[in-house]
């Protein structure tokens, strides 16, 4: 270490973390060993692996949070901890050299010390490309989803500021490999160049889910046929590039995507090389768990690494496939790097049974050969490995559709919870809104009505009638529809919403009276609803505003007996006038993409809700669809962006929001779009609309964990999949709807809060109970208080 380094101020990167090992999750702490008073030092988005240091070293390194010289840091540390400065300097120099060499301790003012974050915001221009969203940021590069000048989606990889020279060679090599592969198990190269002196690659955007998630779903369903297909497809993807003389060089789960058809695409060829062309030894990337024993041996022996060989990458692929098959790495790895390389060098893969996985002898035998520590013992090439996997196992039994063992218990428990002899009926909910459809008695009444119809149960229908009478009796109370503690006031909820305000009570009353054959009550309630929505309202959306009042009129038209009845005519005229007024109001609005006048896109609060009721109204009344509806639908479809195997629609509340957020649920997300697009396909019959609905359904399915409810959670997502099943008759979507319902049943008890009371139709478990009942007769399923009545 030179004198200049000792004298010049150094500083830690702004985002460097020094974490006590004892604070890490149990699983991680176990892989690090005992830990004691050790600390992990890591920079989250840097390529440099985490390091373990002891407590004294951690206290010394903390001195560099502000720029300081090594000498000053040592003196300051020694004074604070009564240590000998000379001994401290001597002992700390090896670690400090290591930190400087790995970029974790930098000169004062160095650009690399800034927090690693994206340079481009959503909507920004990067040369000829418009940024859609940031996918990944690393210390040397950024990856974006973007649109090119033709509007096509691309993956844009661009060097970070200050790293152009270092990344140029890597991007040049990646471009050469992609051109050589020509799309074989890989994205196609679209463009390359530089933006503001920063080199970039633009590649075909590949829609797909990560293989680990896909494999986890298949394992959860015990679908070994599907799991074998996935494993074979991954092996064949690597065989395809090996067949063209390309070694990927960075095998790990994050570098492959599984498409809707099961096709596997490899991504990130920054460390790839073409055999016989790329002469230099490439640096190794990825996770150590997937390194081959011959590389581990060279590291442990201190020898320079030899070029990656095909059988070396075969080992890495075998490790990856073991992970997909079991959900575990092929042995219990430590995170201490030197010891981990010893494990790789010496150990054999554990049997599946040691991982708590049902044995699969044929696959285990094939993987064991690929994971042999001796390269010569492995398969001659990747193609032979893939073929061995394909032949290894006879077709496994097809998994039975899961019925959800807790479904009946959930249903019976909910019926007991809202029964007329329950504490809930006697005392009412503990807090408002007490009477609304969304949260209170009207929603409970509607839920009981739906269950009564499903089960042909007059007792449940009588209970529904009692609950709606309770709502009517208590509707003038202070907490009937509002609760300031939940930010539900007249200012935020308004006075006309069927979901949240007073008009929802007579609307549900009309529906229940129709089911009971009480025509006088039905007609009076229908007219009361129409009178209730006459209150002026500025909001135009479905959940809170005038679009929702038209939906209420549609529910009445489906409930009332026919076109000659005065209430039916009144509901039709009211709905027709309001719908026409809404389309006149938005006629001069800019596009859904721009969204300056109406930024929200979703069903509950945006464009999708208006389009949904427009097509619904056309089917009910035969009225002409507004001329602008089709173009607005196209605009809405064009705002979708590929995510996983599906697509998302940006969740934007205000015109200045950057379109970066999205969700899989009904209210503001993909599930709501599925309902609209299935209905639009029914009316317009265009293939592109159904394709867009399927993309939304994929995201509703893949959208990760969530709450239970109809509004934002599993139940609303499952109803979207049921809607697509009804449109396509594809049984896969019914199976996926059942799986989401199963997940909801499992997590329901943990999701009960003041904002998500158990009895709430849209925010609690009552909507889930209706979903479970609908899954018994899925051909007539309909989203509660949204889909068609009857």
């Amino acid at each position: 270490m030179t004198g200049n380094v000792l004298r010049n101020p150094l500083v830690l990167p702004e985002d460097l973390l020094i974490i006590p090992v004892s604070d890490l999750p149990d699983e991680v702490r176990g892989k690090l060993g005992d830990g004691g008073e050790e600390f992990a030092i890591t920079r989250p988005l840097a390529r440099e692996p985490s390091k373990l240091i002891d407590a004294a070293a951690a206290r010394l390194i903390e001195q560099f949070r502000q720029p300081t010289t090594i000498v000053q840091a040592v003196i300051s540390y020694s004074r604070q901890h009564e240590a000998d400065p000379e001994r401290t300097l001597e002992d700390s120099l090896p670690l400090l050299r290591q930190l400087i060499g790995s970029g974790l301790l930098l000169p004062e003012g160095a650009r690399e010390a800034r927090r690693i974050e994206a340079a481009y915001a959503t909507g920004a221009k990067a040369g000829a490309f418009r940024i859609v969203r940031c996918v990944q940021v690393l210390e040397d590069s950024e990856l974006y989803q973007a649109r090119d000048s033709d509007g096509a989606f691309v993956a844009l990889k661009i060097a970070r500021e200050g790293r152009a020279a270092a990344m140029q060679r890597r991007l040049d090599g990646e471009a050469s490999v992609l051109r050589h592969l020509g799309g074989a198990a890989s994205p196609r190269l679209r463009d390359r160049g530089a933006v503001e002196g920063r080199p970039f690659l633009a590649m075909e955007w590949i829609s797909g889910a990560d293989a680990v998630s896909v494999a986890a779903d298949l394992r959860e369903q015990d679908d070994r046929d599907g799991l074998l297909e996935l494993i074979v497809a991954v092996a064949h993807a690597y065989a395809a590039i090996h067949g063209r003389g390309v070694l990927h060089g960075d095998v790990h789960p994050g570098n492959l995507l599984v498409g809707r058809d099961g096709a596997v695409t490899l991504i990130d060829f920054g460390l790839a090389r073409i055999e016989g062309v790329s002469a230099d030894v490439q640096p190794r990337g990825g996770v150590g768990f997937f390194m081959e024993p011959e590389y581990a041996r060279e590291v442990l022996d201190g020898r320079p690494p030899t070029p990656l060989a095909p059988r070396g990458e075969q080992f890495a692929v075998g490790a990856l496939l073991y992970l997909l098959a079991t959900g575990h790495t092929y042995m219990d790895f430590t995170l201490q790097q030197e010891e981990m390389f010893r494990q790789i060098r010496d150990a054999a893969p554990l049997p599946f049974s040691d991982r708590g996985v049902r044995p699969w002898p044929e696959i285990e035998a094939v993987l064991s050969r690929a994971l042999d520590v001796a390269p010569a013992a492995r398969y001659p090439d990747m193609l032979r490995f893939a073929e061995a996997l394909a032949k290894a196992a006879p077709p496994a039994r097809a998994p039975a559709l899961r019925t959800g063992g807790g479904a009946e218990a959930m249903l019976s428990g909910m019926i007991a919870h809202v029964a007329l002899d329950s504490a809930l009926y006697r005392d009412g909910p503990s807090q408002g809104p007490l009477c609304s459809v969304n949260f209170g008695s009207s929603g409970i009444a509607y839920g009981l009505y739906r269950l009564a119809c499903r089960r042909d149960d007059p007792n449940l229908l009588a209970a529904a009638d009692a609950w709606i009478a309770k709502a009517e009796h208590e509707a003038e109370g202070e907490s009937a529809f509002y609760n300031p503690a939940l930010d539900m006031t007249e200012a935020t909820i308004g006075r006309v919403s069927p979901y949240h305000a007073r008009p929802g009570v007579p609307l549900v009353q009309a529906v229940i009276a129709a089911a009971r054959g009480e025509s006088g009550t039905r007609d009076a309630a229908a007219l009361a609803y129409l009178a209730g929505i006459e209150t002026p309202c500025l909001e135009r959306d479905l959940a809170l505003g005038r679009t929702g009042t038209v939906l209420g009129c549609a529910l009445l038209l489906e409930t009332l007996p026919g076109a000659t009845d005065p209430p039916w005519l009144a509901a039709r005229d009211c709905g027709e006038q309001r719908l026409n007024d809404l389309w006149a109001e938005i006629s001069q609005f800019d596009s859904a993409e721009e969204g300056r006048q109406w930024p929200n896109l979703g069903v509950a609060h945006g464009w999708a809700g208006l389009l949904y009721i427009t097509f619904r109204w056309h089917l009910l009344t035969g009225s002409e669809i507004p001329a602008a509806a089709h173009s607005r639908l196209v605009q809405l479809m064009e705002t979708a962006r590929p995510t996983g195997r599906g697509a998302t629609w940006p969740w934007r509340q205000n015109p200045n929001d950057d379109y970066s957020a999205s969700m899989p649920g009904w209210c503001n997300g993909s599930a709501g779009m599925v309902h609209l697009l299935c209905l639009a396909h029914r009316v317009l019959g265009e293939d592109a609309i159904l394709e867009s609905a399927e993309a939304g359904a994929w995201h509703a399915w893949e959208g990760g964990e969530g709450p239970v409810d109809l509004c934002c959670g599993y139940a609303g997502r499952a109803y979207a999949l049921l809607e697509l099943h009804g449109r396509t008759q594809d049984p896969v979507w019914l199976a996926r709807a059942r799986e989401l319902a199963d997940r909801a049943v499992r997590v329901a008890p943990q999701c009960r809060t003041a904002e998500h009371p158990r009895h709430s139709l849209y925010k609690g478990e009552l909507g889930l109970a209706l979903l479970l009942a609908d899954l018994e007769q899925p051909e007539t399923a309909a989203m509660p208080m949204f889909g068609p009545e009857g």
Side-chain angles (χ1 to χ4, degrees), residues 270 353 385 691 762:
S353 58
F385 178 27
E691 290 171 6
Y762 258 72

Side-chain angles (χ1 to χ4, degrees), residues 445-524:
Y446 180 86
L448 285 165
Y449 146 77
R450 281 285 295 269
L451 290 171
C453 294
R454 273 286 177 222
R455 299 192 165 194
D456 195 20
D457 187 333
N459 293 323
L460 291 177
L461 190 59
D465 191 52
W467 271 103
I468 198 62
K470 181 180 180 70
E472 176 65 32
H473 177 71
E474 298 174 351
E476 303 307 321
E478 189 174 319
S479 301
F481 302 102
Y482 306 118
N483 182 347
L486 300 180
D487 195 29
M488 302 181 74
T489 65
E490 185 171 327
T492 58
I493 299 302
R495 298 174 61 190
V496 302
S497 167
Y499 291 101
H500 292 283
R502 181 70 169 85
V505 178
L507 179 59
V508 172
Q509 189 175 40
V511 171
I512 294 172
R516 288 169 59 86
E518 299 171 351
S519 58
T521 302
R522 176 201 67 207
D523 292 354

Side-chain angles (χ1 to χ4, degrees), residues 303-326:
R303 292 181 281 137
T306 56
L308 174 65
R311 291 193 188 191
E313 186 147 281
Q314 180 189 142
F315 184 97
V317 174
L320 172 62
L321 297 183
Y322 186 104
L323 175 68
L324 298 182
T326 67

Side-chain angles (χ1 to χ4, degrees), residues 539-557:
E539 299 295 334
R540 70 179 72 87
D541 67 2
L542 184 141
L544 301 172
R546 286 166 284 150
T547 298
T549 66
V550 181
L551 177 62
C553 291
L555 295 174
L556 287 179
L557 295 187

